[in-house]
Amino acid sequence: MFWTFLSRSIRFSTIFLYGSTGEIITEKSGHLNLGVPGVMCIGAVGGCLGINAYLKTLGSAADMSAFGVVIIGILCALLAGALAGLLFSFFTVTLRCNQNVTGLTLTTFGAAFMKFMLGDLENSSSVVNLGTASRAFTQSMLPSEPSNWFEQLFLSYGVLVYLAIAIAIAAAIILKRTRTGLNLRAVGENPATADAAGISVGKYRYLSTILGCAIAALGGLFYIMDSLGGALEFTVDAYGWMAVALVIFSIWKPNWAILGSILFGALYIAPNYLLNLSFSEKEIIKLLPYIVTVLVLIITSIFGKRSVQPPAALGTTYFREER
Amino acid sequence: MEKTVAIELRGITKTFGDVVANKNVDLDVYRGEILSILGENGSGKTTLMNMIAGIYFPDEGHIYINGEEVVIKSPKDAFAHRIGMIHQHFKLVDTFSAADNIILGEKCPKFDLKAERAKLVEAHKAENEAYENYDEAEHPGPLAYMKKPKFHSEKETKRRLALMPLTGIWKKIKFNWLAKKRADVVQDIANRFGFKIDLKKKIYDMSVSEKQTVEIIKVLYRGADILILDEPTAVLTPQEIEKLFDVLRNMKAAGKSIIIITHKLNEVMEISDRVAVLRKGEHIATVNTADTNEQQLTEMMVGKKVSLNIDRTEPHDVKNRLVVSGLSAVDPDGVKVLDNVSFEARSGEILGIAGIAGSGQRQLLEAIAGLYKVKEGSITYFDPSKDDAPVDLRSKTPVQIRDLGVRLSFVPEDRLGMGLVGNMDLIDNMMLRSYRKGFMFLDRKSPKKLAETIVEELEVVTPSTHTAVRKLSGGNVQKVLVGREIAASPSVLMAAYPVRGLDINSSYTIYNLLNDQKEKGVAVIFVGEDLDVLIELCDRILVICAGRVTGVVDGRRAIKEQIGLLMTKTSHDVDENQISIDDLHTESENDTANSEGGDAQ
């Protein structure tokens, strides 16, 4: 029972992990992208439309290759997310718009865009196709049901779960231990300094935002194709906000985000495992992640340690000749 | 010794909007010399240097390095030409270690595939030749086989050539990786230059002088031949300055060109070989330090006296209105910004405050207005409506000060930051001073009337009183601000750089307004940067330097050079040869003493 709960938490946490890893990479460059929920929606749209188009060319969903579906789904979601990131960067870097406003607009746009683009699929035969395709995503490497706790905890997931953790670990290493990461952090901490050191602030901001949005977009794909098993539900943006909160919770470190997302995932699905709870008690448990985030904010600002603070230039635009 | 030119500037011009920061500047810097750039604030020194460092791009003109014309579009280009600049506000990332700051932005050395391939072929060829000519009899001994040249077959060479691009990629990855030992590598270089500093320390744990050392190491590490320092001594103690100068002299001996921007004349005389003087964006002259003296430099810096014809009436009914004594304050970093400042502002007089920008003028006015925390000293106001009863203003908030019935008006230097709200219209900005009046609902009628009066009387050019203030030009913004502050019928009016960026007509409007207030018996405090204006407008001029009062001079008898020297005096100079303080000042010192006695009761 406990192992099942834990493995479900890990699986569910993947949505948050994609969103927050992407957002951490973006925020490290000093870009506060509040459009993450919208980007996740856009990623879901890209992935679903890509898979749908692929299955349509096949004629019958039964002929699909699992590998092809997964690759096409991932690539289309990445592309859709990257385009959203490009749009965001164009507004905030090139046109120097306010990041909060642009981000919130992107969120509103993304949620509506998802309904607009996928609304038609919902009432057509495509829904069946997506259901079939989702098996390629949920397929674990085990031939049968997990038989012990080890298999349950480590081997029972679809490919996107492992990918999320791999990306988070890679992001943590790149941020901490490479010059690319050092330069990126410098851009987020003090763009004028980075610029004077010969780092192109605009380039770093563009690329990190595009990459971050592409990663976040996979969260939307995961939600539809893995969590929901191909069913279309338009509530992705709610999880996007959790991902934004998780960025603060994990104090801008992708490796912490792995643990944080599991905690958030566990709290989110815990009500389903705790019987004898009233509706309101269940909702309160679902609220806990936000409360924990507020606590983390309070604790980090009380101790005021410099290494756990947000990037100093977060949310600001940079223009070299400003005086 | 033949001097070679390292960098030449020809006809450099840069404007920001309507403001000309540099106009047609020509400048040469030689190798192995220290050149000082001297000028008042706003004379365009930093802008000029920023153009060499790639921060700004010149509108006109040419830059030559080692005789070749170059285009410096970004700091990256500046590095490529081996130019390094140490900015006045350090460009360091606080949360990084010093070592990480030093290696920041370093580029991977370019991997030239063609050249590397040619090199490999050559090396193999040479080794094969050696192999062929190798005579085993010439190299006896059991370990001789280890020294024997190896033979490279054609196949092997071909394979190595084919794998060459991978070597390039591998080198890039290896370069990109931040080894744990990276700090040691930088530390070694720093030690070799003779710096004693722990580069593993985080910048936020460092003192100002340590930070500056990191900046210098950074520039040296990047391999700069031309080093620009923007006011490097402003934040250092005398001992630290000596250390810095030793470093600079060593670098000069190593053949590097050093450009140092400074206000302090004694430092110019001590360190530099030549001095270039800028005034109002123009290059006045470059002279050998050995052929000049402080007096002559001051003259070049401040220029000949210009007659402005500002009316100045004799003050009448002069009474102490505001007495500041022994005021000291520190900034958040613990640096003393005000050091034992004492003066008195009198009704019916304009008190000018002269000094290099950043000498503590802003903090002084803000301390009086209740916006800056005071560490020591007293601020006493004599209330004219209560028969000049003393009121203590120290450590009060602006609201408390107003509630005490103190009629204090403040025209801050940052007009659209502290003075007005740019996005609000004229009427709303008027209401910032009156929003507490009225019951339940705001009174909008009188602010509207006030705005209309100001627009009419001060000839503010605006489409209507409903226009957002930020859309007005600088002069009109200032008129609105000064108009509002005067409308509060103050008994003390403080204005910081009220004519900065204004054209000549608007400036005169402001001067006349201040004069009107003076005639009405207001104590006016005027912080200015143009010495000609200060001398013609003010009754007395208080000169401050690095947070200390270095003298009070009578505006009618003041000489520009005298003020210029006072502005650039460092603290120990003042004690030695205090410039004759006029009789007004000695008399008022007694007043100060009296009022302090009054406070104690």
Side-chain angles (χ1 to χ4, degrees):
Chain A
M1 180 69 184
F2 174 71
W3 298 118
T4 318
F5 169 64
L6 201 56
S7 100
R8 287 279 170 86
S9 305
I10 290 172
R11 186 173 161 196
F12 198 74
S13 74
T14 305
I15 313 169
F16 306 137
L17 187 54
Y18 275 119
S20 50
T21 307
E23 180 67 1
I24 287 171
I25 293 173
T26 306
E27 287 196 10
K28 278 290 180 190
S29 77
H31 257 174
L32 178 62
N33 181 7
L34 291 180
V36 168
V39 170
M40 286 169 82
C41 292
I42 292 171
V45 171
C48 289
L49 289 185
I51 292 166
N52 195 42
Y54 169 65
L55 293 182
K56 267 199 179 141
T57 57
L58 286 181
S60 156
D63 301 340
M64 73 174 190
S65 96
F67 181 73
V69 167
V70 170
I71 285 295
I72 286 172
I74 290 176
L75 286 182
C76 290
L78 283 176
L79 184 70
L83 284 175
L86 183 68
L87 191 70
F88 182 85
S89 319
F90 177 70
F91 274 102
T92 54
V93 179
T94 307
L95 302 180
R96 295 202 283 275
C97 293
N98 182 304
Q99 295 174 17
N100 297 339
V101 175
T102 313
L104 290 173
T105 312
L106 189 57
T107 290
T108 323
F109 168 77
F113 183 66
M114 186 175 179
K115 269 182 204 161
F116 177 71
M117 296 303 284
L118 298 185
D120 286 345
L121 290 188
E122 205 180 8
N123 306 319
S124 69
S125 60
S126 303
V127 144
V128 185
N129 278 349
L130 285 181
T132 320
S134 88
R135 267 181 250 141
F137 284 92
T138 50
Q139 177 69 45
S140 75
M141 60 183 86
L142 291 174
S144 59
E145 285 291 298
S147 55
N148 57 31
W149 67 268
F150 181 82
E151 289 183 3
Q152 175 89 51
L153 208 54
F154 292 105
L155 303 174
S156 65
Y157 312 108
V159 58
L160 282 177
V161 177
Y162 299 105
L163 184 65
I165 293 172
I167 289 176
I169 292 173
I173 292 173
I174 288 172
L175 281 176
K176 188 144 193 268
R177 305 224 39 104
T178 67
R179 277 172 199 270
T180 316
L182 185 75
N183 294 355
L184 179 64
R185 282 185 286 141
V187 169
E189 288 288 342
N190 194 335
T193 297
D195 192 21
I199 299 167
S200 166
V201 174
K203 194 177 96 187
Y204 267 87
R205 286 196 160 175
Y206 255 100
L207 290 180
S208 75
T209 307
I210 289 172
L211 183 67
C213 284
I215 292 170
L218 291 179
L221 177 74
F222 174 85
Y223 181 62
I224 299 288
M225 298 311 291
D226 192 313
S227 280
L228 294 177
L232 287 174
E233 221 181 84
F234 302 107
T235 51
V236 184
D237 44 333
Y239 302 102
W241 289 119
M242 285 281 251
V244 175
L246 182 58
V247 172
I248 301 164
F249 180 84
S250 53
I251 50 174
W252 290 270
K253 290 186 171 71
N255 42 346
W256 282 81
I258 299 174
L259 296 177
S261 67
I262 294 172
L263 177 70
F264 275 33
L267 288 170
Y268 211 84
I269 62 166
N272 305 335
Y273 285 81
L274 298 168
L275 307 170
N276 314 324
L277 282 184
S278 72
F279 177 75
S280 54
E281 283 166 336
K282 283 184 178 176
E283 291 302 307
I284 283 178
I285 291 180
K286 281 192 189 173
L287 268 178
L288 281 177
Y290 294 104
I291 296 169
V292 174
T293 301
V294 172
L295 284 180
V296 167
L297 266 182
I298 293 170
I299 292 166
T300 53
S301 55
I302 285 175
F303 287 104
K305 221 179 136 214
R306 295 295 290 267
S307 56
V308 298
Q309 297 304 318
L314 187 61
T316 59
T317 48
Y318 176 67
F319 175 49
R320 185 187 290 157
E321 294 213 0
E322 200 156 7
R323 41 189 270 155
Chain B
M1 198 180 84
E2 187 70 19
K3 283 199 287 187
T4 45
V5 179
I7 184 163
E8 288 171 69
L9 307 182
R10 289 289 173 266
I12 298 286
T13 299
K14 175 80 185 171
T15 54
F16 293 98
D18 296 337
V19 184
V20 181
N22 283 121
K23 200 165 139 196
N24 206 9
V25 175
D26 294 343
L27 193 69
D28 292 332
V29 187
Y30 296 105
R31 275 204 209 126
E33 73 158 357
I34 299 178
L35 174 76
S36 285
I37 303 217
L38 188 67
E40 287 185 292
N41 250 86
S43 57
K45 304 175 302 260
T46 304
T47 309
L48 185 66
M49 290 302 113
N50 273 334
M51 280 188 274
I52 305 178
I55 304 285
Y56 297 147
F57 191 71
D59 297 340
E60 277 168 42
H62 307 272
I63 300 175
Y64 302 87
I65 291 174
N66 300 330
E68 271 174 57
E69 177 158 13
V70 294
V71 178
I72 303 173
K73 275 187 289 198
S74 69
K76 237 192 257 180
D77 294 348
F79 283 136
H81 297 299
R82 303 178 71 83
I83 299 166
M85 178 156 174
I86 294 165
H87 296 266
Q88 193 178 1
H89 305 285
F90 298 141
K91 303 250 182 205
L92 295 170
V93 181
D94 273 358
T95 47
F96 288 5
S97 72
D100 280 352
N101 265 292
I102 289 166
I103 62 167
L104 187 67
E106 210 186 337
K107 291 280 170 318
C108 182
K110 249 218 158 92
F111 186 78
D112 188 346
L113 196 60
K114 237 185 201 165
E116 292 289 327
R117 278 188 167 149
K119 229 161 67 190
L120 185 84
V121 172
E122 282 299 309
H124 279 192
K125 216 170 162 188
E127 258 193 82
N128 284 352
E129 243 164 61
Y131 176 82
E132 260 158 48
N133 299 334
Y134 187 76
D135 187 358
E136 281 191 33
E138 278 176 32
H139 303 273
L143 291 173
Y145 70 94
M146 279 177 78
K147 286 182 192 157
K148 193 178 170 185
K150 287 186 186 68
F151 180 74
H152 302 279
S153 68
E154 217 166 281
K155 214 171 153 192
E156 190 199 339
T157 311
K158 259 189 188 163
R159 195 194 55 198
R160 293 277 297 272
L161 285 180
L163 288 175
M164 210 56 144
L166 288 182
T167 321
I169 293 168
W170 173 242
K171 277 202 169 154
K172 259 201 176 137
I173 293 172
K174 219 171 125 190
F175 176 82
N176 203 345
W177 187 256
L178 287 178
K180 281 234 165 78
K181 281 187 286 182
R182 63 185 185 273
D184 301 338
V185 178
V186 189
Q187 186 80 56
D188 278 350
I189 294 170
N191 293 346
R192 231 181 300 142
F193 278 115
F195 293 103
K196 287 185 191 71
I197 186 167
D198 176 17
L199 293 178
K200 278 183 187 149
K201 237 164 105 178
K202 290 273 200 303
I203 297 296
Y204 58 75
D205 285 332
M206 287 188 160
S207 71
V208 187
S209 117
E210 280 179 305
K211 284 182 195 173
Q212 190 173 52
T213 311
V214 174
E215 283 275 22
I216 294 174
I217 298 173
K218 188 163 96 177
V219 171
L220 291 177
Y221 181 80
R222 281 296 187 94
D225 290 337
I226 299 164
L227 184 69
I228 306 163
L229 297 106
D230 190 355
E231 296 195 33
T233 58
V235 289
L236 300 182
T237 63
Q239 292 84 350
E240 288 167 343
I241 292 174
E242 264 321 299
K243 256 200 280 175
L244 172 71
F245 283 0
D246 285 341
V247 170
L248 295 184
R249 288 193 193 100
N250 286 340
M251 287 165 64
K252 170 184 148 187
K256 299 195 187 299
S257 312
I258 295 158
I259 306 174
I260 172 167
I261 299 178
T262 178
H263 295 307
K264 300 181 189 164
L265 283 171
N266 57 338
E267 289 172 2
V268 171
M269 301 306 290
E270 187 188 337
I271 186 83
S272 63
D273 300 310
R274 292 189 309 141
V275 193
V277 183
L278 294 187
R279 187 170 71 224
K280 294 185 174 137
E282 288 180 66
H283 178 226
I284 301 302
T286 303
V287 289
N288 288 326
T289 314
D291 307 340
T292 187
N293 55 40
E294 297 194 13
Q295 204 76 38
Q296 195 193 351
L297 287 176
T298 314
E299 221 173 272
M300 285 200 287
M301 194 165 96
V302 295
K304 289 270 174 294
K305 189 168 159 46
V306 191
S307 195
L308 296 164
N309 294 319
I310 302 171
D311 295 328
R312 172 164 54 192
T313 52
E314 280 299 320
H316 55 85
D317 198 19
V318 174
K319 268 188 218 154
N320 274 359
R321 187 60 69 221
L322 188 75
V323 175
V324 171
S325 89
L327 199 68
S328 294
V330 291
D331 74 357
D333 296 332
V335 178
K336 227 171 195 184
V337 284
L338 290 178
D339 188 1
N340 196 13
V341 173
S342 302
F343 69 91
E344 52 289 316
R346 300 163 181 172
S347 59
E349 242 191 30
I350 296 183
L351 173 71
I353 297 184
I356 303 290
S359 300
Q361 297 96 320
R362 188 175 61 83
Q363 287 87 347
L364 179 59
L365 295 199
E366 287 185 6
I368 295 169
L371 296 166
Y372 203 89
K373 217 173 152 191
V374 175
K375 209 176 138 206
E376 276 165 42
S378 69
I379 305 164
T380 316
Y381 169 78
F382 295 92
D383 197 337
S385 59
K386 289 182 194 142
D387 223 11
D388 290 345
V391 183
D392 183 19
L393 294 190
R394 189 191 150 173
S395 304
K396 297 254 184 346
T397 65
V399 173
Q400 283 171 325
I401 290 176
R402 199 194 43 205
D403 290 348
L404 281 168
V406 176
R407 297 204 313 272
L408 191 72
S409 279
F410 182 24
V411 179
E413 142 184 27
D414 182 9
R415 288 161 211 166
L416 287 177
M418 273 176 81
L420 300 167
V421 180
N423 281 331
M424 297 197 328
D425 67 13
L426 270 65
I427 299 172
D428 285 351
N429 270 299
M430 294 302 138
M431 286 171 66
L432 288 178
R433 258 196 168 269
S434 66
Y435 68 99
R436 283 174 176 247
K437 288 180 195 153
F439 171 72
M440 284 262 300
F441 296 102
L442 289 168
D443 171 20
R444 286 188 69 92
K445 267 188 206 143
S446 43
K448 186 168 189 320
K449 217 177 276 168
L450 175 59
E452 279 161 2
T453 320
I454 289 174
V455 169
E456 201 174 311
E457 284 187 3
L458 303 185
E459 292 163 2
V460 179
V461 182
T462 172
S464 80
T465 50
H466 295 288
T467 312
V469 173
R470 105 188 116 78
K471 288 186 183 154
L472 305 184
S473 76
N476 287 310
V477 168
Q478 189 67 325
K479 283 181 196 167
V480 172
L481 177 57
V482 174
R484 185 189 75 191
E485 292 304 312
I486 288 172
S489 59
S491 52
V492 177
L493 174 65
M494 301 190 289
Y497 306 111
V499 296
R500 183 180 278 176
L502 266 56
D503 62 40
I504 199 77
N505 284 327
S506 309
S507 300
Y508 274 92
T509 315
I510 302 290
Y511 301 146
N512 291 338
L513 282 172
L514 295 178
N515 266 327
D516 287 350
Q517 292 300 306
K518 165 184 159 184
E519 274 167 41
K520 280 187 192 158
V522 175
V524 181
I525 301 176
F526 172 86
V527 178
E529 46 196 349
D530 192 331
L531 292 182
D532 290 313
V533 172
L534 279 162
I535 289 173
E536 295 227 355
L537 180 71
C538 302
D539 299 296
R540 288 182 305 136
I541 300 166
L542 179 82
V543 190
I544 59 176
C545 173
R548 288 170 67 106
V549 175
T550 49
V552 180
V553 288
D554 186 340
R556 284 171 185 76
R557 284 185 280 146
I559 313 158
K560 227 167 151 183
E561 284 73 29
Q562 179 196 10
I563 299 177
L565 276 177
L566 284 172
M567 277 164 60
T568 47
K569 283 280 169 195
T570 44
S571 45
H572 55 268
D573 296 338
V574 179
D575 300 331
E576 281 163 17
N577 42 351
Q578 185 100 9
I579 303 263
S580 62
I581 295 169
D582 51 4
D583 42 358
L584 274 167
H585 189 234
T586 32
E587 177 196 309
S588 57
E589 260 175 349
N590 296 334
D591 290 355
T592 317
N594 289 344
S595 64
E596 271 172 346
D599 277 351
Q601 283 163 9

